[in-house]
Amino acid sequence: MWRKMLLVVFGIAIFTVERVSAAESWKLPLDESNWSSIKVPGTLENAYSIGNGLLTVRSDKSASFRYFELPTALRNPKLVNWRWRVESFSSVSRQGEKGRDDRPLAVHLWFNDTGGGSLFGGVASIFGYPKVGHLLTYVWGAEDAAGSIIRNPYYAKGRVIVLVGQNAPTGQWRSVQRDIARDFKAAFGSAGGVPSLRYIAVSADNDDLGGRSFAALKSLSIVLP
């Protein structure tokens, strides 16, 4: 029944998001045609490769994003899953400090409650970037302890959750599963509900400390309630 509804509700989008289990798990496509780019003005852009179910990002004194817009029918997931791997990185970062918040790999959840502002401010409308309300950023490779929830130093409606600290072994795939509502409430408090999730983004960031990194991500999926 659910599959038939999706065919009707969002037509073409059904061909870009694959259902992978009876538990309403949907695998997001990792191919160039489904991901858009965001450059950071005045900063070198990362080198991304997206295809055959794998996203890699090489960052050299650079920073930029790739993001995917979820079909309307999939914007209230319960869980988000992925596997990630960092081969190398050189910056020792502090996620709550401006000018030191680099990272070899991050996964971002951008929620659909723009209110009066956006992560990218006036640049969003100038360059056609998506407007973002609250956001959660999951980070690999920080001086901060794994499990830390840190206020985004550039954006009041953003929080950074450190999943892997800087001393963790590199060159190994790690599996991640996050309960979106639980993380949102831990980050922002329990008042009000969790807004719908519109975008999932991936980034690397080495523009502040001048470092280098190489990392990869695969098996990115969401699970509906």
Side-chain angles (χ1 to χ4, degrees):
M1 178 64 178
W2 176 250
R3 186 174 181 83
K4 291 180 180 178
M5 288 175 63
L6 285 175
L7 285 167
V8 173
V9 171
F10 62 97
I12 294 175
I14 190 68
F15 299 108
T16 65
V17 182
E18 176 189 356
R19 184 178 177 184
V20 294
S21 79
E24 302 298 355
S25 178
W26 295 85
K27 185 177 181 181
L28 277 58
L30 286 176
D31 58 73
E32 286 284 359
S33 64
N34 286 282
W35 290 75
S36 302
S37 302
I38 293 180
K39 299 179 181 180
V40 178
T43 302
L44 296 172
E45 188 174 6
N46 297 326
Y48 288 89
S49 175
I50 309 176
N52 299 317
L54 183 70
L55 180 152
T56 64
V57 53
R58 190 178 300 275
S59 182
D60 185 355
K61 306 177 184 67
S62 56
S64 61
F65 299 79
R66 290 289 187 272
Y67 70 94
F68 177 86
E69 184 172 7
L70 289 169
T72 303
L74 302 183
R75 289 184 183 175
N76 291 286
K78 175 177 174 57
L79 306 173
V80 60
N81 305 312
W82 69 87
R83 301 191 71 202
W84 58 358
R85 174 181 179 136
V86 168
E87 296 294 341
S88 62
F89 68 103
S90 57
S91 297
V92 179
S93 61
R94 296 184 188 136
Q95 294 303 302
E97 184 178 332
K98 289 185 178 181
R100 292 193 62 87
D101 60 320
D102 288 353
R103 69 283 297 251
L105 192 57
V107 174
H108 311 265
L109 305 184
W110 292 345
F111 294 91
N112 195 30
D113 62 318
T114 56
S118 172
L119 170 63
F120 304 104
V123 172
S125 58
I126 294 172
F127 290 95
Y129 294 162
K131 291 185 177 181
V132 177
H134 284 84
L135 67 92
L136 291 175
T137 296
Y138 299 101
V139 169
W140 178 312
E143 186 176 281
D144 312 279
S148 299
I149 300 178
I150 302 164
R151 183 181 294 272
N152 187 311
Y154 298 95
Y155 187 57
K157 294 169 74 174
R159 298 291 185 272
V160 178
I161 301 178
V162 179
L163 297 188
V164 184
Q166 66 182 28
N167 295 322
T170 55
Q172 300 177 7
W173 285 106
R174 290 174 176 261
S175 297
V176 177
Q177 180 176 89
R178 304 301 301 187
D179 184 305
I180 296 171
R182 182 180 299 169
D183 284 347
F184 190 93
K185 291 175 181 178
F188 299 106
S190 58
V194 179
S196 63
L197 176 64
R198 186 164 184 177
Y199 304 98
I200 296 181
V202 178
S203 72
D205 185 335
N206 285 284
D207 62 330
D208 290 321
L209 301 174
R212 300 176 180 176
S213 63
F214 181 59
L217 179 141
K218 63 181 180 179
S219 302
L220 179 59
S221 66
I222 59 171
V223 180
L224 299 184

